[in-house]
Amino acid sequence: MPSDRTAYVLKVYPRFSETFVVTEILAREAAGDDLAIYALRPTTDSRFHPQLAQVQAPVTHLPRAHKLSAEWEVFAQAQTELPDFGARLGALMPLLVRLDPSDVAQGVDLALRLRRDGITRVHVHFASMASWCTAIASALTGIPFTVTTHAKDLFHEDVDRVVLREVLARASAVIAISDYNRRFLVEKVDPGLADKVALVRNGLELGRFDYRDPRPVGDTLRVLAVGRIVEKKGFDHLVDAVAALRSQGMPLEVRVVGEGERADELAAQVRRTGVDDAVTLLGSRSQSELVAELDRADVLVAPCVVGADGNADGLPTVLLEAMASGVPCVATDVTGIPEAVRPGDDADPATGILLPSDPAGLAGRVADALRRVADPSWPRVEVARAARALVERDYDTTTQAARLAAVTAGATR
């Protein structure tokens, strides 16, 4: 009986924005899991978090075949090494014909490498390319796999629901990062998934985010926003809110951390609305630099929206980081966010200010929320303490990684 060895298959590794993957891998290694990492595409990031250096798992970057002759070479090798290769590949044909041939070749290549490396199970993040290739490799080798679904892989308009259902049906277990996603998978994707969907939330390494009670707001409200500068983050609504508040004489200092395809457009909006003396676009920041940004902030704003392409955030990790650090949060009710940022009720205290995500009037709602946060009567300490308690209870990476390990340990075909 071979010893357990789990492969992580990722489209890109390392990726600056996917800190939750590194946090999860480190937690599982700390728990004694034997891991290996396989990446399908080279990274294009220019900056990396120092936590990457702590990862012990070997990393294999799979080449991508760009010529039919190279793909054929992989298939010939599989014919030699993989039992029943032809029959197993033929059985996959309804899935294969919907995929790019180079992705199929990478799936076969992955099968060869998993078998040679003694992998006994596979875990994948995102039910997209990495899952397609892993589903092929699993079918060719018999190695079971599990998949954590997130947001773009479920909600984007380009998602092929036929492929999604086929891949998830082949997985031993499907991980949802929120109750919202769990319901979406069962109600919108495939009711047959009901018995195999498990809730494992993205975890946070709490030791890196020391809590302190929030300071009283000074003469100037210090606002922080963090994330890729893309439509779904809704940063344009924040800029409009800042413009409205500035016109009413409210002093603000807004710092936006992140890069993205709409960075130039956002910079132009900042200049056009005349708030370039209040809004600073910082670009990307490392984890240690982000901790410093959180320490100086009075409030973190995540005005997320559902993009025109259907894409939406699952739950921005920076919200959990701010809540763990004692920084009050203003966020919108997109997908899983209300499970962390709660307005409070008779049973539970508020953990932040939650706004409707409808783009119509969102800037006005963000402005109103920032006025509330700046008001000395707003219970910022009580909200921050409740937020920290919720993160400790529901988003501790040690707990969540143990849950994931339990799910993957039960993976069978």
Side-chain angles (χ1 to χ4, degrees):
M1 183 73 179
S3 59
D4 287 342
R5 192 172 197 218
T6 300
Y8 268 70
V9 178
L10 304 162
K11 178 181 177 183
V12 177
Y13 181 87
R15 175 167 274 182
F16 191 80
S17 62
E18 295 177 358
T19 54
F20 52 87
V21 173
V22 175
T23 299
E24 180 181 294
I25 288 172
L26 289 174
R28 293 193 63 171
E29 288 189 333
D33 287 0
D34 183 8
L35 305 179
I37 299 169
Y38 298 81
L40 305 178
R41 298 286 185 273
T43 186
T44 57
D45 292 339
S46 58
R47 303 191 67 184
F48 302 98
H49 298 295
Q51 288 75 20
L52 277 174
Q54 301 172 26
V55 173
Q56 298 298 308
V59 181
T60 301
H61 293 276
L62 274 69
R64 186 183 184 192
H66 293 285
K67 295 180 178 178
L68 180 59
S69 58
E71 295 170 358
W72 212 246
E73 188 175 319
V74 172
F75 278 58
Q77 194 63 40
Q79 177 67 22
T80 301
E81 293 189 30
L82 301 179
D84 302 323
F85 172 68
R88 293 188 182 212
L89 191 71
L92 283 169
M93 202 52 66
L95 171 64
L96 304 186
V97 296
R98 302 183 76 91
L99 303 180
D100 186 285
S102 65
D103 292 338
V104 174
Q106 272 201 314
V108 176
D109 189 13
L110 178 63
L112 289 166
R113 293 170 189 269
L114 296 178
R115 196 165 182 268
R116 292 170 187 163
D117 294 345
I119 298 298
T120 55
R121 54 178 60 93
V122 180
H123 186 64
V124 192
H125 274 276
F126 296 96
S128 45
M129 179 193 297
S131 286
W132 309 339
C133 293
T134 300
I136 294 169
S138 175
L140 296 178
T141 60
I143 299 171
F145 76 100
T146 51
V147 54
T148 294
T149 56
H150 289 271
K152 186 176 182 180
D153 52 337
L154 299 180
F155 308 131
H156 197 282
E157 63 180 1
D158 288 343
V159 171
D160 185 332
R161 288 289 182 91
V162 174
V163 172
L164 179 63
R165 280 192 288 270
E166 175 69 18
V167 168
L168 297 185
R170 290 177 174 276
S172 298
V174 177
I175 311 301
I177 62 169
S178 66
D179 277 320
Y180 179 94
N181 280 16
R182 182 182 55 77
R183 293 192 301 273
F184 183 89
L185 284 163
V186 175
E187 296 172 4
K188 305 293 185 183
V189 176
D190 183 359
L193 295 172
D195 293 336
K196 67 164 60 176
V197 177
L199 173 63
V200 180
R201 300 184 188 277
N202 284 346
L204 197 68
E205 187 182 350
L206 289 170
R208 291 195 292 111
F209 298 93
D210 294 332
Y211 175 84
R212 60 158 176 77
D213 278 346
R215 296 179 292 263
V217 176
D219 295 334
T220 299
L221 181 67
R222 295 177 172 179
V223 181
L224 178 64
V226 180
R228 292 177 57 236
I229 303 179
V230 295
E231 181 188 12
K232 68 178 182 178
K233 296 295 184 183
F235 293 148
D236 52 328
H237 300 283
L238 173 60
V239 171
D240 283 344
V242 172
L245 292 171
R246 286 291 303 276
S247 70
Q248 297 163 14
M250 181 173 172
L252 291 159
E253 176 195 282
V254 182
R255 296 166 71 84
V256 180
V257 173
E259 299 175 341
E261 61 197 41
R262 292 200 172 193
D264 291 342
E265 189 177 328
L266 189 68
Q269 182 189 2
V270 169
R271 293 190 295 271
R272 186 175 64 253
T273 53
V275 295
D276 43 342
D277 60 334
V279 178
T280 304
L281 305 182
L282 297 168
S284 63
R285 288 290 184 269
S286 68
Q287 279 287 293
S288 60
E289 292 169 331
L290 177 59
V291 169
E293 291 294 332
L294 288 169
D295 186 57
R296 66 177 283 127
D298 294 317
V299 60
L300 180 122
V301 179
C304 302
V305 298
V306 178
D309 56 6
N311 198 10
D313 255 312
L315 173 58
T317 302
V318 72
L319 274 173
L320 303 177
E321 294 168 342
M323 294 167 69
S325 304
V327 180
C329 295
V330 174
T332 51
D333 58 357
V334 169
T335 69
I337 291 177
E339 295 168 36
V341 180
R342 301 175 179 175
D345 53 30
D346 293 340
D348 297 300
T351 60
I353 296 178
L354 187 68
L355 307 173
S357 60
D358 184 353
L362 180 54
R365 295 191 292 277
V366 171
D368 290 343
L370 292 179
R371 285 193 202 93
R372 288 174 59 191
V373 170
D375 189 324
S377 67
W378 191 67
R380 55 194 299 105
V381 172
E382 290 81 357
V383 169
R385 289 177 179 176
R388 171 73 189 199
L390 182 139
V391 171
E392 289 180 356
R393 187 190 69 195
D394 292 346
Y395 296 94
D396 181 353
T397 191
T398 302
T399 303
Q400 298 304 319
R403 289 180 180 172
L404 177 63
V407 173
T408 58
T412 57
R413 284 184 54 83

